[in-house]
Amino acid sequence: MIEIKNISKTFHQKKQTFKALNNVSLAVEKGDIVGIIGFSGAGKSTLIRTVNLLERPDQGQIIINGKDFTLLSSKQLADERKKIGMIFQHFNLLSSRTVFDNVALPLELDHVGKEEINRKVNELLKIVGLEDKAHDYPKSLSGGQKQRVAIARALANDPYLLLCDEATSALDPATTQSILQLLRDINQRLGITILLITHEMEVIKAVCNHVAVIDKGQLLAKGTLSEIISDKENPVIRQFINSDIMTIPQEINKKLQKEPQDGLFPLVEI
Ligand code: ADP
């Protein structure tokens, strides 16, 4: 469904050039949760930003559902971007808007009618477990709640793809797990493909079925989670596997291993 083909990107700053991505190729199947892992500065954000062309690659193609995004006009690209949700480390909520109005924003920009906005936003707030926070402002929310609002907003236009840029890096381990569980539910129940970048192996282990390892702008390895974990030869992978950046409390980890129940989205305590 998503083919990243031979992407390179060089940044130019103060007469200096820096090659952030060097000939990276990656295919993502519909319904996958793909984790892109690498150290800080490896090129992960640049890679994810090239998918919806927030960063235009110097060379290569981004083919999504058969369309080469690098060939689209800016109007066509703007339409395509509506179907790709983004979630960021620091939530990027508008502090002057309530929870409801933050989630409603993409719909307002799309000139959706008031009644439909009401229906949709209430449905989204239910999905993320924040029905009772609709009239609160971001400043009164916890980090996990803010990220839930950002996730609801990212889902407003019924995206087929979610791009998560270090979505849990600003959260404590327990909140991280509740947000990862929400992402897993969204993937399973709404069928949304997720591309997630992180520098934490535990995040990858908790939700991803495929992994790509980026180092110094290059794709070092890709495969299923078990293939990557069993690749003990690769020094970068070994460093991540042995890393202790974040440890999941055992009881939360056990809970995560269980299949979610059918029916409603579980409301996770924050
Ligand atoms: P990661 O997400 O893995 O931490 P990034 O993709 O953010 O890495 O950055 C990769 C490299 O590209 C870094 O060295 C960063 O400084 C550089 N870089 C990223 N964006 C820009 C930019 N807009 N201008 C100049 N350099 C940039």
Side-chain angles (χ1 to χ4, degrees), residues 1-2 26-37 48 87 160-165 167-168 177-198 200-213 222-226 228 256 259-260 265:
M1 182 191 79
I2 301 164
L26 184 67
V28 178
E29 294 298 325
K30 186 173 174 359
D32 263 1
I33 306 186
V34 177
I36 298 171
I37 192 162
I48 215 168
I87 307 164
Y160 58 82
L161 173 65
L162 268 190
L163 302 175
C164 307
D165 191 344
T168 56
Q177 290 311 314
S178 74
I179 293 297
L180 293 176
Q181 185 171 342
L182 177 61
L183 290 177
R184 204 169 64 149
D185 285 345
I186 285 168
N187 166 262
Q188 289 184 351
R189 292 164 197 217
L190 304 180
I192 298 176
T193 307
I194 297 179
L195 205 48
L196 169 160
I197 69 176
T198 179
E200 296 165 325
M201 196 62 194
E202 296 302 341
V203 170
I204 297 275
K205 284 186 195 163
V207 283
C208 299
N209 42 18
H210 285 86
V211 188
V213 184
K222 58 182 168 182
T224 62
L225 178 59
S226 54
I228 295 293
L256 271 170
E259 280 302 302
F265 284 85

Side-chain angles (χ1 to χ4, degrees), residues 103-135:
V103 178
L105 188 61
L107 301 167
E108 286 172 16
L109 292 174
D110 228 10
H111 308 292
V112 174
K114 223 172 170 182
E115 218 169 282
E116 174 58 12
I117 290 183
N118 253 329
R119 189 199 64 78
K120 187 74 189 177
V121 172
N122 286 323
E123 177 190 302
L124 291 167
L125 290 179
K126 196 168 172 198
I127 287 174
V128 300
L130 288 181
E131 304 102 303
D132 57 338
K133 301 284 179 195
H135 304 296

